[in-house]
DNA sequence: TTGTACGCGTTATCAC
DNA sequence: GTGATAACGCGTACAA
């Protein structure tokens, strides 16, 4: 059941030399004669020697693995981010360990505890929608674990952040709805305490106000689990369509919520974009082919992942403590399609 | 930059006792007095002691981590399988390390080499579309690494396999097209050497033959990278629609190919299902809301993941060498929607 | 009941 | 140019 691990000792015994010589020869040390190196290398080849990374980790106090915690990998945005992370991590010889919180704070805490106990060298995280208290992360951070936040960030620690221009993205999308003649724009969003929620809601409100209207809080529905459970979105949507003044457009402030709204409207037979306009954040691959094709705000997910891992590795591999942290804000793309063209 | 790792040594020093006493006290050994245990536990708590898993791994020769290799995680089928794997692995205290081959044989080999060198305890894999030669896997397998294949399996090793009834699934889907009046049914599929391709193609052919028709090989297009590059699918589709006898239906034998075909037909303005019927394997979440809604063959992906990890952990944790291996075949679900109802 | 010594695989630091 | 030894953190056989 186990690898019959060939070690440096086996080579040493086979060749009748010491382990230190073997070690040095394998590492191509200058103090070893060319001849000895040749023999050792040959023997290592023959025995299929592979160094044991665990022994190395024990010595070096690093595992060359980093953890990524997201709420859900079966979500295009996050899987694209992970692709970005992975594309760079593997080239640099790091393992990526992926963990899902499923939007549960409890799960996030236990996962993190587990990961930390497995000696990860660093962490990239987008916190769960339930996460308000950051103590679990602070504890790790002040113990010396390098952390990079992305998407749903926390400003409570002095570290790197990678996000998009949430305010502007929501602003642009809302303005787009207004310009297309929608009057009563409702908003489906995540937990109120999340960074992305605050910023996006602020953008939405600003756009409403700039158009000379008053913000109606009844039109803002908070889904505390980001729509991972369909009934959450359904409940919110039901409340919206039963309002005295029924909204004529919806903006979904995250992937699951946007598609959840679409799903709901389709089931109810409410026509998009005639009866109800729909736009939202989404990195889904098929928004273009949905019925109707969906207007979206697309985040540069792959790029976000790359940025996050680059920042993290820089911290991990830095000799001296890192003092300067960046707050990296990327641009989103507004893609206009049929779901918001009222006159179609 | 490092965890200031508290070790049992620190506790021993603090308490003026030996490390072995500490070790035993922490493991609640019967030979330690209740009083000593209390003191040690208290001190461990105070110092925020956490055991070093790397040292443990070195001793126990196991890392409590398993690797999953798939072609792409940004693919609903695979992310659902991974969810299934992860749901059980974490409960049992195993880390899941995910690696993507991106349908490249070379990448698969280097990834695997890397993973093996990091001392994984087991492997769950769906091979890349380029993988014909299994030597890299055999080498690891005969070295003692427990392996479970799923989806794209290899029968060259005596180990657990988890798959769906590919033959029947393709057969049912093809029959469905025939029954709906489609006459010339083309087939978009993966590399010819993959297990899933062989079985699915066989089911497709059988259905054609059972209907009294002859199989036309020109109607079968092999995409050697499973459609990860859009141009691959486009090329195949172009060839199909330019055939002298243009097919009136397409069956996609994998997720990317099915949605790729849809994308192509939409762009070309070929109407589905009138001009061209479309059905295929897909675990996408929005096939229902595509335009037109897509008839699909859905695999029990989550269940497949769970099955695979359960089989793998059984092997890993078995005391004696496992001799009996299962060939687990699950059923798929045929979901009929608009893309195959010719008279709509 | 507790302590000593060793081994897991590797490398760095001495000594020869 | 090469060998012996200690150290990384932990568990355990053996000694006391």
């Amino acid at each position: 059941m186990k690898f019959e691990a060939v070690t440096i000792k086996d080579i040493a015994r086979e060749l009748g030399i010491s382990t230190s010589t073997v070690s040095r020869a394998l590492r191509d040390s200058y103090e070893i004669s060319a001849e000895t190196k040749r023999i050792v290398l040959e023997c290592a080849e023959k025995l299929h020697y592979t160094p044991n990374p665990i022994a190395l980790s024990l010595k070096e106090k690093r595992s060359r693995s980093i953890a990524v915690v997201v709420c859900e990998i079966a979500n295009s945005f996050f899987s694209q981010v992970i692709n970005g992370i992975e594309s760079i991590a593997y080239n640099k010889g790091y393992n990526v360990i992926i963990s899902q919180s499923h939007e549960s704070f409890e799960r996030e805490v236990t996962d993190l505890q587990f990961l930390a106990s497995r000696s990860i060298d660093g962490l990239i995280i987008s916190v769960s929608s339930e996460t308000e208290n950051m103590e679990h992360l602070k504890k790790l951070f002040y113990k010396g674990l390098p952390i990079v936040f992305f998407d749903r960030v926390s400003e409570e620690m002095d570290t790197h952040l990678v996000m998009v221009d949430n305010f502007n993205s929501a602003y642009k999308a809302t303005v787009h709805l207004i310009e297309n003649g929608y009057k009563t724009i409702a908003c489906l969003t995540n937990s109120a305490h999340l960074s992305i929620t605050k910023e996006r809601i602020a953008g939405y409100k600003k756009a409403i106000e700039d158009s000379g209207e008053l913000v109606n809080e009844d039109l803002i529905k908070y889904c505390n689990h980001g729509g991972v459970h369909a009934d959450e979105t359904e409940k919110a949507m039901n409340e919206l369509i039963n309002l005295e003044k029924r909204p004529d457009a919806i903006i979904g402030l995250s992937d699951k919520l946007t598609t959840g709204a679409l799903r709901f409207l389709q089931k109810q037979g409410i026509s998009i974009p005639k009866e109800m306009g729909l736009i939202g954040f989404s990195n889904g691959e098929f928004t273009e082919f949905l019925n109707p094709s969906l207007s979206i705000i697309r985040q540069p997910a792959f790029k976000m992942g790359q940025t996050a891992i680059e920042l993290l590795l820089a911290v991990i591999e830095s000799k001296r403590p890192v003092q300067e942290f960046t707050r990296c804000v990327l641009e989103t793309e507004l893609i206009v399609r049929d779901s918001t063209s009222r006159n179609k």
Side-chain angles (χ1 to χ4, degrees), chain A:
Chain A
M1 291 308 82
K2 295 273 161 59
F3 280 84
E4 30 159 75
V6 175
T7 76
I8 221 169
K9 264 187 191 161
D10 298 317
I11 301 180
R13 192 179 324 112
E14 177 88 5
L15 260 36
I17 59 180
S18 81
T19 57
S20 34
T21 304
V22 175
S23 170
R24 274 182 287 223
L26 290 172
R27 320 198 74 234
D28 202 24
S29 161
Y30 66 96
E31 26 186 18
I32 299 292
S33 73
E35 178 58 9
T36 311
K37 280 182 189 168
R38 202 185 52 73
I39 298 179
V40 170
L41 253 25
E42 215 165 64
C43 183
E45 180 81 12
K46 195 185 76 190
L47 296 176
H48 300 109
Y49 167 80
T50 43
N52 180 329
I54 299 207
L56 259 169
S57 294
L58 183 58
K59 262 201 98 62
E60 294 182 0
K61 295 179 186 293
R62 59 179 348 212
S63 59
R64 284 197 159 274
S65 60
I66 65 118
V68 178
V69 177
V70 298
C71 56
E72 208 80 52
I73 69 168
N75 174 319
S76 299
F77 171 67
F78 290 111
S79 59
Q80 287 161 20
V81 170
I82 290 171
N83 272 352
I85 292 172
E86 191 244 29
S87 70
I88 290 182
Y90 277 99
N91 285 338
K92 298 241 187 172
Y94 281 80
N95 266 130
V96 176
I97 298 176
I98 298 165
S99 199
Q100 309 186 63
S101 66
H102 298 288
E103 301 290 19
S104 149
F105 175 67
E106 193 188 324
R107 179 73 192 259
E108 180 178 300
V109 172
T110 56
D111 273 13
L112 233 39
Q113 195 176 0
F114 181 62
L115 287 168
S117 83
R118 315 269 336 180
S119 323
I120 50 170
D121 293 344
L123 170 69
I124 296 179
I125 185 171
S126 167
V127 300
S128 91
S129 56
E130 284 185 354
T131 305
E132 286 192 77
N133 185 326
M134 297 288 163
E135 284 312 313
H136 58 308
L137 286 162
K138 281 189 186 166
K139 217 157 117 186
L140 292 172
F141 184 68
Y142 291 122
K143 253 187 164 180
L145 180 70
I147 300 182
V148 171
F149 286 94
F150 79 96
D151 186 46
R152 305 158 177 190
V153 307
S154 164
E155 312 248 3
E156 293 185 35
M157 282 150 276
D158 202 13
T159 188
H160 294 302
L161 309 179
V162 178
M163 55 188 114
V164 294
D165 188 344
N166 289 302
F167 178 88
N168 240 320
S169 306
Y171 183 86
K172 281 188 301 185
T174 311
V175 165
H176 166 70
L177 286 171
I178 295 169
E179 287 177 351
N180 272 30
Y182 293 102
K183 301 289 183 199
T184 314
I185 301 170
C187 181
L188 216 53
T189 189
N190 220 310
S191 321
H193 54 84
L194 289 180
S195 62
I196 53 171
T197 302
K198 289 180 194 159
E199 297 172 16
R200 292 173 189 178
I201 285 287
Y204 157 80
K205 287 183 175 174
K206 184 69 164 46
I208 302 282
E209 285 160 2
D210 283 359
S211 77
E213 297 288 322
L214 284 176
V215 168
N216 176 356
E217 292 286 346
D218 291 344
L219 291 172
I220 304 177
K221 290 293 171 193
Y222 297 89
C223 296
N224 291 324
H225 292 90
V228 276
H229 309 299
D231 51 350
E232 198 186 6
T233 322
E234 278 174 28
K235 182 166 167 291
M237 287 296 295
N238 257 318
E239 289 172 12
L240 285 177
I241 62 170
N242 288 321
L243 282 178
E244 201 165 338
K245 189 174 182 191
R246 188 197 260 205
D248 59 2
I250 306 270
I251 171 166
L253 295 191
S254 81
D255 215 313
K256 281 258 152 122
L257 295 171
T258 307
T259 48
L262 175 74
R263 194 183 288 268
F264 177 90
L265 294 171
Q266 297 275 22
K267 275 194 190 159
Q268 296 286 318
I270 297 175
S271 85
I272 312 171
K274 269 205 160 56
E275 285 179 78
M276 188 82 80
L278 179 61
I279 191 171
F281 284 76
S282 177
N283 273 56
E285 284 186 72
F286 292 97
T287 49
E288 184 182 351
F289 300 109
L290 290 173
N291 184 19
S293 64
L294 206 57
S295 296
I296 55 165
I297 300 137
R298 179 177 294 277
Q299 300 185 63
F302 190 84
K303 179 80 189 155
M304 289 173 79
Q306 289 189 313
T307 309
I309 184 74
E310 273 170 353
L311 291 170
L312 184 69
L313 290 182
V315 175
I316 290 174
E317 296 184 343
S318 139
K319 302 293 179 200
R320 68 197 92 219
V322 177
Q323 305 288 0
E324 299 230 333
F325 293 100
T326 58
R327 191 174 189 287
C328 180
V329 179
L330 303 173
E331 290 303 316
T332 58
E333 194 184 352
L334 179 69
I335 303 177
V336 175
R337 301 211 186 93
D338 292 345
S339 68
T340 52
S341 56
R342 196 166 202 186
N343 310 315
K344 264 235 168 173

